Amino acid sequence: MSSTARMDRARLERFNRFWEELLQAVPDARRQAVEEAGAAVQRELNAQIGAAELADGAKGTVRTWQELRVGSKGGYAALSPGKGTAQPRVEETQHTWKGKPVSKKQVTRWLERGHGTRRPAAGSSPAGLGSQAGRAGVTRASAAGYVKGRQFYSWTKAKALELALKAADRVLSRIADEVDY
């Protein structure tokens, strides 16, 4: 009877080790899944920015501004423009908005949602288009009105859940392979 009790005890110890390993792996798996989901969403955002109607140099600049942040305990991932001002190109002066330097967040928001255009300067071309015609979404119809938003965050948000679920599934598959009962 003692050999039977030992065998049950060995199975019970193996069972306990399995659950201990699994419970230790869960927080790490959650963090890995959140990080992987955030990285997948960031790749999609970069693809959406690349597909937007922006000048090639602007696409790269806006992509570099987008930062992935993961919560300290791995509970969330967020994409947002980084802090700081939008630095002008080499020979341009610092752009300002209401007397303050324009931030990366403001430029990203304007590109995402759209923005109004300023009135043409006095003495510019007869149509009031100046040299801005055809650039930055300014057309003859919208020259004195509004530039449409590119909505790269909105299009990415529509795919975010699907990307997150795929990332979580990949991480859970890896964990299942590592933890063996």
Side-chain angles (χ1 to χ4, degrees), residues 6-144:
R6 284 188 196 152
M7 188 165 77
D8 289 342
R9 179 184 242 172
R11 288 181 66 198
L12 182 61
E13 287 175 2
R14 190 174 65 206
F15 179 80
N16 285 337
R17 271 195 314 272
F18 167 77
W19 281 103
E20 285 175 12
E21 291 174 11
L22 185 62
L23 291 175
Q24 289 175 354
V26 167
D28 293 336
R30 178 182 177 189
R31 182 172 187 81
Q32 287 176 5
V34 169
E35 287 174 353
E36 197 165 313
V41 172
Q42 187 171 30
R43 285 190 299 272
E44 177 63 25
L45 178 64
N46 288 338
Q48 291 294 336
I49 292 171
E53 297 174 10
L54 299 172
D56 288 335
K59 290 177 185 181
T61 302
V62 173
R63 279 186 194 137
T64 61
W65 290 346
Q66 310 312 309
E67 296 178 354
L68 175 64
R69 297 182 327 275
V70 179
S72 61
K73 295 180 183 176
Y76 72 90
L79 278 169
S80 63
K83 296 184 186 273
T85 60
Q87 297 298 320
R89 295 196 176 135
V90 178
E91 297 178 14
E92 295 180 12
T93 59
Q94 177 69 48
H95 296 287
T96 59
W97 174 254
K98 297 184 179 181
K100 295 182 181 176
V102 175
S103 69
K104 296 173 185 179
K105 183 177 181 177
Q106 284 176 305
V107 174
T108 302
R109 187 177 338 119
W110 291 334
L111 290 172
E112 170 71 12
R113 297 179 183 170
H115 58 88
T117 58
R118 60 183 173 190
R119 293 186 185 114
S124 62
S125 66
L129 296 176
S131 63
Q132 294 295 314
R135 291 185 61 213
V138 178
T139 63
R140 291 189 188 279
S142 68

